Amino acid sequence: MRNRRMIKHYGKPCAYCLLEMGPDRLPSRDHAERPKSRRGKLTAGNKVLCCEPCNTEKGARPIWIWAVELEQAGDPRACNVKAEWARLKAIRERRVESMLLEALLEA
């Protein structure tokens, strides 16, 4: 396994397919909103714990594009992917609100 620290995630569900991760479904970190190929970083608002098969299938697409493609194909994972997208969006919005509040308090 490339990252031995990921072993601690065995038994947890993939955020996309909800199947349990383990030796046959290795855990992986997905750059969800902004893929690594587009200079995405593993920040709280850009990372998702998923299985390697889902991460590989998503590829370098942003999560919202993959969600639409899954929905159009009738893939049951579309609902889970949209939920993760909403979670990441909420994290981003809280971060922006916090930054704005800090700027107002400094002024």
Side-chain angles (χ1 to χ4, degrees):
M1 181 180 235
R2 289 186 314 242
N3 189 343
R4 293 190 183 271
R5 292 180 297 171
M6 295 301 285
I7 292 173
K8 68 182 177 184
H9 299 296
Y10 278 18
K12 293 185 180 178
C14 167
Y16 300 143
C17 67
L18 301 181
L19 295 176
E20 191 175 286
M21 292 184 280
D24 56 332
R25 280 190 99 67
L26 295 175
S28 177
R29 286 187 215 109
D30 181 30
H31 295 78
E33 294 263 327
R34 188 170 189 181
K36 194 174 182 181
S37 63
R38 296 183 181 154
R39 298 183 186 173
K41 296 185 178 6
L42 276 175
T43 59
N46 193 42
K47 67 181 173 185
V48 172
L49 180 65
C50 63
C51 65
E52 273 191 1
C54 284
N55 197 357
T56 300
E57 184 178 337
K58 178 185 161 284
R61 293 171 286 194
I63 192 171
W64 61 86
I65 292 174
W66 194 45
V68 169
E69 290 172 354
L70 290 174
E71 190 170 50
Q72 289 173 344
D75 192 310
R77 294 175 297 173
C79 186
N80 306 329
V81 172
K82 285 198 263 183
E84 278 302 304
W85 178 18
R87 184 185 70 81
L88 295 171
K89 185 177 177 185
I91 290 170
R92 249 188 1 266
E93 288 172 354
R94 282 194 303 270
R95 189 176 321 131
V96 168
E97 287 172 1
S98 175
M99 290 168 54
L100 289 172
L101 183 60
E102 284 179 27
L104 287 172
L105 292 174
E106 289 176 0

